[in-house]
């Protein structure tokens, strides 16, 4: 049963993704309440109300549950215990299980392999000796990452053709936290699929986007991706398998490496709307944000078809200086996040250039 118009959707997290979810909810007639410790966050500018408190604050969670008909979230590092506490009182979509899987890279890759989706090879790392052994297994090359909380390239170190020894102090330098070493993948390109699953189990998948990262941060997403139709179909099929295995409701983003022969290796999943899906705002009738609201509210999913080819680019730090020139361009949609302070590496907004399909 769908949420009545005028119901309130709770959103954990008040960043730009929460902002865009609140905007989409308003277009469909829903109110939103945001739980976010930072006052005057981007989502607060457009939501109906903000609870300023920590994500695991018991009183704040109780307030959010009592004020919301359903709760969702805009980032994957929501405390699992908080999601479970809320789920005892109000529907929470996506489920806490999706958070559990996505928050630990070893758990995530083990889950993906367990449902038949290949990934890069990996080894859990807890000390320098284990790192030495794992690098030997991977011929001296690999990407060492924190198992939890890393994003936009943070918490990573790359090894290339290193001799398997002399790594004393590496784990300490990484913070003495649980780590994972992933084998380096000789991929031709990176793609991602944004897809949604409704309360009734229906699935709608957008066309894969081809992504370019610099310094670990997404710079651009281009649609269509330069991949074969069978590769696109295989990526969508893999995402559908993930959604079903998690009994998922809402939008998910899944990143893949595309190998020279068109084969796919899953890189990571994000149980939320995703930066590489921002292009759907400009090139589709139903954006990923509206799709997510439709899903968690129990409404029919919209068509993921696009009416235009496009390229989305993030505005990062001083890229904001480009805004006047961008606004002079035809066939360009600009979206700024309302952040007042521009810093290196900080996402300030994005724009999408469209090329209408004949």
């Amino acid at each position: 049963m769908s949420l009545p118009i005028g119901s309130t959707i709770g959103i954990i997290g008040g960043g730009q993704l929460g902002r865009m979810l609140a905007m989409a909810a308003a277009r469909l007639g829903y109110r939103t309440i945001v739980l976010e410790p930072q006052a005057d966050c981007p989502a607060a500018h457009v939501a109906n109300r903000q609870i300023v408190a920590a994500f695991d604050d018991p009183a704040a969670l109780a307030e959010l549950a009592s004020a919301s008909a359903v709760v969702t979230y805009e980032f994957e590092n929501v405390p699992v215990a908080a999601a479970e506490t809320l789920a005892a009182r109000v529907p929470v979509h996506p489920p806490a299980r999706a958070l559990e899987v996505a928050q630990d890279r070893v758990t995530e890759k083990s889950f993906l392999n367990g449902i038949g989706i290949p990934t890069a090879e990996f080894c859990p790392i807890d000390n320098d000796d284990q790192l030495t052994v794992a690098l030997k297994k991977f011929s001296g090359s690999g990407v060492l990452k924190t198992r939890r909380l890393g994003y936009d390239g943070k918490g990573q170190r790359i090894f290339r053709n290193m001799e398997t020894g002399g790594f004393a102090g590496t784990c300490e330098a990484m913070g003495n936290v649980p780590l994972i070493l992933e084998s380096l993948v000789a991929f031709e390109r990176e793609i991602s699929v944004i897809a949604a699953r409704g309360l009734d189990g229906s699935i709608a998948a957008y066309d894969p986007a081809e992504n370019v990262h610099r310094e670990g941060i997404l710079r651009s997403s281009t649609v269509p991706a330069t991949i074969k139709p069978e590769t696109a179909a295989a990526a969508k099929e893999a995402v559908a398998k993930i959604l079903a295995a998690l009994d998922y409701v809402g939008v998910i983003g899944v990143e893949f490496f595309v190998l020279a022969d068109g084969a796919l290796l899953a890189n990571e999943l994000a149980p939320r709307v995703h930066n590489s899906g921002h292009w759907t705002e400009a090139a589709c009738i139903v954006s990923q944000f509206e799709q997510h609201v439709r899903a968690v509210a129990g409404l029919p999913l919209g068509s993921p078809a696009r009416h235009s080819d496009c390229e989305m680019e993030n505005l990062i730090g001083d890229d904001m200086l480009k805004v006047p020139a961008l606004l002079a361009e035809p066939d360009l949609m600009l979206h700024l996040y309302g952040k007042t302070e521009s810093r290196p590496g900080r996402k300030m907004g994005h724009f999408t250039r469209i090329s209408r399909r004949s």
Side-chain angles (χ1 to χ4, degrees):
M1 183 176 176
S2 61
L3 291 185
I5 299 301
S7 298
T8 297
I9 298 174
I11 303 172
I12 305 177
Q16 62 261 24
L17 299 180
R19 177 189 179 96
M20 289 182 269
L21 285 173
M23 293 170 67
R27 287 185 59 246
L28 294 178
Y30 294 111
R31 299 173 64 84
T32 49
I33 179 170
V34 174
L35 171 61
E36 163 65 47
Q38 176 193 328
D40 195 37
C41 61
H45 303 165
V46 295
N48 297 93
R49 182 180 163 205
Q50 180 184 358
I51 300 172
V52 181
F55 299 124
D56 57 356
D57 182 283
L61 292 172
E63 185 178 354
L64 182 66
S66 64
S68 306
V70 64
V71 172
T72 189
Y73 43 88
E74 63 132 25
F75 71 114
E76 60 265 47
N77 290 321
V78 173
V80 173
E84 291 172 341
T85 296
L86 285 166
R89 298 188 52 180
V90 64
V92 175
H93 304 306
R97 171 64 177 152
L99 289 172
E100 213 169 25
V101 167
Q103 286 179 3
D104 185 300
R105 288 187 169 95
V106 170
T107 304
E108 179 183 62
K109 284 183 164 47
S110 298
F111 162 76
L112 290 167
N113 293 170
I115 60 173
I117 298 174
T119 64
E121 293 184 87
F122 64 95
C123 291
I125 304 294
D126 292 316
N127 55 58
D128 294 339
D129 289 340
Q130 290 180 356
L131 175 60
T132 300
V133 171
L135 277 169
K136 185 175 181 180
K137 176 181 177 182
F138 296 156
S139 302
S141 298
V143 185
L144 185 65
K145 303 177 180 179
T146 55
R147 285 176 59 168
R148 302 175 68 88
L149 299 177
Y151 67 98
D152 284 349
K154 296 177 175 64
Q156 298 187 15
R157 179 175 172 183
I158 298 177
F159 296 90
R160 297 183 188 276
N161 304 314
M162 303 283 287
E163 293 184 8
T164 52
F167 301 114
T170 299
C171 291
E172 182 179 1
M174 296 281 286
N176 282 326
V177 296
L179 303 170
I180 180 174
L181 184 73
E182 300 174 8
S183 62
L184 285 183
V185 176
F187 60 89
E188 286 204 332
R189 54 187 46 85
E190 296 176 83
I191 65 168
S192 58
V193 173
I194 307 299
R197 185 171 183 266
L199 280 170
D200 62 357
S202 59
I203 292 175
Y206 293 92
D207 290 335
E210 184 168 339
N211 301 321
V212 174
H213 292 81
R214 292 187 206 135
E215 298 177 347
I217 301 175
L218 179 69
R219 297 300 310 209
S220 68
S221 296
T222 302
V223 184
T226 50
I227 56 176
K228 296 177 181 178
E230 51 266 37
T231 301
K236 290 182 179 181
E237 183 180 339
V239 176
K241 190 180 291 189
I242 292 167
L243 292 170
L246 291 172
D247 196 19
Y248 197 95
V249 174
V251 163
I252 196 170
V254 184
E255 297 178 344
F256 297 91
F257 297 127
V258 182
L259 308 186
D261 62 357
L264 295 167
L265 296 179
N267 182 30
E268 62 182 33
L269 61 89
R272 53 171 171 81
V273 289
H274 195 257
N275 192 173
S276 69
H278 289 355
W279 64 270
T280 61
E281 273 188 314
C284 301
I285 296 296
V286 177
S287 73
Q288 66 164 340
F289 305 103
E290 179 178 330
Q291 198 77 286
H292 187 79
V293 172
R294 285 179 180 230
V296 304
L299 297 170
L301 298 182
S303 168
R306 72 181 196 280
H307 53 70
S308 301
D309 297 343
C310 64
E311 181 177 15
M312 184 281 301
E313 291 188 30
N314 279 321
L315 291 169
I316 299 171
D318 288 343
D319 287 346
M320 287 290 285
L321 298 173
K322 302 176 183 177
V323 166
L326 291 170
L327 288 172
E329 290 190 33
D331 295 324
L332 182 143
M333 174 183 277
L334 177 70
H335 194 135
L336 302 181
Y337 303 151
K339 298 176 181 179
T340 56
E341 184 185 356
S342 175
R343 299 192 299 264
R346 191 181 198 197
K347 294 172 183 171
M348 303 298 295
H350 67 269
F351 63 91
T352 306
R353 291 188 178 97
I354 65 168
S355 174
R356 297 187 184 277
R357 305 170 77 188
S358 56

